[in-house]
Amino acid sequence: MLPRWRDTRAAVETGEMRSLQRASADEKARAQQAGVQRLVTLQREFGAKPSVGRAAELTGAAALMNRPDVAEDAAVYLLLNAEQTTPAALASARTLLALPAPGEAALQAPQGTGLLTVQAEVRRLRPLLREFPHNPLMHLDLARAYAALGQAQRAERHLQVALALAPQHRFALRTAVRFHVHTHDPRAAVTLLRRSDRTPHDPWLIAAEISASMVAGVAPRFVRRARDLVENWDLDPLHISELAAALGTLELKDGGKSKRVRKMFRQALEQPTENAVAQVQWVAPQVQVPLDEQQLKSVPRNFEMRAWERYSLSRFEAARDAFECWLQDEPYAATPVIMAAYLAGALDPTPTRAIELTRLGLTAHPADEVMLNNMAYYLAIGDQLDDAETYLRRAQAATAPGNVWNGANLVATQGLLLFRRGQPDAGVHLYEAAAALAKRSALPQRAVIAQLNLARELIRCGDERAPAVLLRALEEARALTSPDVDLAVAHLRAQMQRLGVPPEVLPPTLFR
């Protein structure tokens, strides 16, 4: 699993010196001496004139050197001024003070995960960076924000500055790797890691090199070293969690023995990071790796697993909160923004939030055919029909001919637009065509959802065909075990209540 932009700071920074133990004695001595000198300078500067920027620099350097004692005051200062600093700096401060990670109770939807929120973050970070231009963490957070806004050149420029300031810093290297993969240039990520002197000695970076190489379609360079580290590691298992998961995935891809693959994944779960959890969860059905749900819930920042777990159980409000937390953690990523918007569109009385979230996603992924179609759907639901037509045309142009899943969605969205423009017969024809296409392509859930949406539109315009269509759709829905279908039924039920449709004229199964 590739590293995330906002990485597991506790794991990444507290293990910095441990992972250098395998470097040469001279390298370690020089790094130690330079690090101590820098700590002394930063501690003196913070003591003379405390500020958020100086506190962030001192806590970051103290974490890197595994010297929490010299930066406790700076860490407390950061937590007392949380609104003025970056999430990465706050996470570093919490780690340095050994504060517990937020648990399940703290997993609530963030107050802001839209386009305006990311733009506000850029406006907040830029003056801080002018005051402290040599803080690599601030450059990384600004790069992350620019990536979410689709401004790849600005994001890359700040990444380059961060790497120039901290060329061997694990967090900076992993952040740059994630950026290159995000911008569809995984070979650049591989090149960056192979050029770093630190990579052959660092299990976190070797894990990233293996994952990036698989994405790029090239052979990983450090597999032998990775196997040696995993087999002989005698320190905290957290530091090889992602390496074991990467090796297990590589072995599975290459047809390795299932017993060996399961052993690697079990090792990855001894003390996992959220990246390792996501990777193991993805392959678990293929290799039959037992997942301890209670243990995995305690993994910090494990939003992805929690989101999908809640969605699979049809706990839609809770899933929405988790997807929005994942989105706040990775505002440039496609999946959390698609799912957060999808749930908002189904659960909210208006599509306003779904439109806002999808607009954020399209800033980073302007040609994503799913987001473009979804935006057309949300706009049509909101009766912004001309704008919906524009997005639908863009979605049609972006969808490959063989993409049946989105192809069926596009036909259904066109049907919705025709209904909203007062052409119900043409709308019925397209919704039925979408359902038939989905059935032929072995996508029964999409077929049922198309029929449920058709029933909604027929009910809205008082069409006499509505009861028969709704009964048929509900009958087919009962035969499926699918959160997608459950959500569509819940959405239809809520829509009928908002429209004031008397319950007695609707099938009782709609309210079960």
Side-chain angles (χ1 to χ4, degrees), residues 84-152:
Q84 301 176 39
T85 190
T86 69
L90 287 176
S92 181
R94 292 182 64 85
T95 298
L96 189 141
L97 293 171
L99 294 177
E104 181 75 9
L107 184 63
Q108 299 176 356
Q111 294 300 310
T113 48
L115 183 60
L116 294 178
T117 302
V118 180
Q119 291 171 335
E121 180 71 357
V122 170
R123 289 194 298 271
R124 188 176 68 85
L125 286 169
R126 287 175 64 182
L128 284 173
L129 199 57
R130 282 195 294 270
E131 185 177 359
F132 299 97
H134 302 298
N135 187 326
L137 295 181
M138 286 188 180
H139 282 284
L140 293 174
D141 277 338
L142 194 53
R144 174 178 170 272
Y146 277 132
L149 294 174
Q151 300 180 30

Side-chain angles (χ1 to χ4, degrees), residues 6-14 87-89 91-92 95 137 140 169 171:
R6 189 178 295 166
D7 222 326
T8 311
R9 303 286 300 180
V12 171
E13 293 199 339
T14 58
S92 181
T95 298
L137 295 181
L140 293 174
H169 196 294
F171 181 59

Side-chain angles (χ1 to χ4, degrees), residues 432-481:
E432 290 179 342
L437 176 60
K439 285 182 178 179
R440 289 197 305 271
S441 305
L443 297 170
Q445 295 94 337
R446 305 313 304 170
V448 169
I449 291 170
Q451 292 172 23
L452 288 168
N453 288 344
L454 170 58
R456 178 197 64 213
E457 293 305 305
L458 289 170
I459 294 170
R460 284 185 79 257
C461 62
D463 194 294
E464 63 182 9
R465 292 168 286 186
V469 172
L470 181 56
L471 279 171
R472 184 171 67 250
L474 290 173
E475 188 65 29
E476 293 188 16
R478 290 175 61 188
L480 297 173
T481 303

